[in-house]
Amino acid sequence: MNNYYELIYLIKEIKVSLKDTFFDFAISPHKDVLEMFINSESEPLRIIFSANPNETTLFLDTYRPPKKSNVIDFFKGIEGQKIVKIALAECDRLVYFHFKEGHALLFKLFSNNPNLFLVKDNEIIDAFKNRDDVTGQTPPKPYAPDFADEVNPKAKPKNQVTRLNPLLPRNLIPVLIDQHKVDKMSPEEVKEFVAWITDELESNPHPRVLVTGETCLWSEEVLDIETEKAFDTVNDTIRHAYREAVHTRRLHQHRHKVQQMLERSLSKKEAQLEQLQQADKSLDRADEYEKYGHLLMAHAHEQKRPDQQQIEVKDLYDEAETVTIPLKQQKDIAENAQYYYKKAKESRTSYEKAIERIGTVEEEIDQLEELLTELKAIEHLPELQKWIKDKSDLLENYGYGTDDNQQASSPYRKFKIGKYEVWIGKSAKSNDKLTSLAHKEDVWLHARGVAGSHTVIRMGNQHDYPPKQVILQAASYAAYYSKARGMKSVPVMYTKVKYVRKPKGSPPGAVVVEREEVEMVPPQKPKS
């Protein structure tokens, strides 16, 4: 945010550039940002005004042709009018652009609601923000703060300094106080110190951006904070700091979005691993179910009452004990035995799958932790954008979509093979969504034996299969979006969607496939 002393120099610099110029138009390409385009005899000019409370600023930027699509023009009432005067309010951060026809643009460069007003005859007739709320009101008036003549020795050093000169940049005062040991000064020494640092601002400016990202007019002798970059003009100093601030904000926003997604995925994988590591319980249940089956088969000749819900039998493995076995009312004793044999088999299968899955989940956890470590080390937006592009396939596996426009909003990727549309899942949840949305006569494909994206060829209710070449092409896409991408040739199974079902309670992306056929294809990335 520009301080008062920076605005003094800034307005002097802008006055020189905007002499004999005319307001052309103003647009807002981004939230809280207004671009004003100015016509001059030599070259067109562009002024940036940011009304973001954290980045409030005004500066003359390098010219760039406007992108006027999908934007709103502001202040049409002064288009073509000549700028006749530019002024800064005394002791306040209000900047005025006066026009020949009596209008003025008033920049309010402070508070939590900075704004730009179009004023005429001491009345706001238009505004950049909250137009309906402020139109017809009296514009803000300059407010000159009180300057103390004496120092209160009981006040804190920062209060002593700011009472003597309330216009000093308050964000830098604590460093000045520590550097020059103001807390050890007498009242007279504090007055002399404030007079000195004020004079340095007024008559000996050193425009620079500090390593902290803040702008400063004091030299390193006055304020001993390392310079990130020095400039010849205040305008260039403000422009550089603003661009860096915007860059940092966008970096943090984009990085935070990816980080949140990865941390959610990591949390889910860790919970999944903890659950899989308790797979021994499935074996215990399998033994118990099998025991129930044996005991029930030993009593298979007995008649069960229609309403009987359990049976109590002697334990064949310990005759001193009895075992109570729940029964399915609609089944007889022998059928209940077969039910428990089936449950035992399912529990053992569940155990085997869990053991197989543990290694995969551990690899995914390591992968997620590595991605998070790399992400947190990124400090520049272009670097982040390149990293996201390079890691797009990994990130998409965890639910982060990087495709543009329709691809980004769609739960799956879409491509064309001739007249056939092909859908490809982006993640496990996306795979479930894709398969549930597909028609039963669509063709479903998946790389066999490895994790990967579900792929569907849309058939438009046709009962036959598409040409073999279409199947092979789609299969190569399924191979590319799988863990077998690095292989020269990948087995890909395919069938109709009606032969694909999702078992109840199965994890995202898991399905059971019947009547599949298999083709060996090389992985191939689809063409956009």
Side-chain angles (χ1 to χ4, degrees), residues 379-434:
E379 296 182 351
H380 301 286
L381 187 57
E383 182 186 355
L384 174 63
Q385 292 167 336
K386 183 179 184 302
W387 182 85
I388 290 174
K389 183 178 179 181
D390 292 343
K391 304 289 184 180
S392 61
D393 294 320
L394 284 177
L395 296 175
E396 286 172 13
N397 286 339
Y398 297 114
Y400 185 83
T402 57
D403 297 297
D404 295 328
N405 303 329
Q406 186 177 4
Q407 296 278 40
S409 59
S410 171
Y412 42 78
R413 307 172 186 88
K414 291 181 181 181
F415 301 98
K416 279 279 193 176
I417 301 177
K419 67 177 183 179
Y420 295 93
E421 186 173 71
V422 177
W423 293 353
I424 302 176
K426 293 180 178 180
S427 63
K429 287 186 177 180
S430 169
N431 285 338
D432 285 346
K433 183 73 172 176
L434 178 150

Side-chain angles (χ1 to χ4, degrees), residues 150-161 163 182-183 185-188 190:
E150 300 297 332
V151 173
N152 179 357
K154 294 183 180 180
K156 293 180 179 180
K158 184 176 180 180
N159 290 338
Q160 292 177 350
V161 171
R163 286 287 292 115
V182 177
D183 57 328
M185 293 181 181
S186 67
E188 283 303 314
V190 173

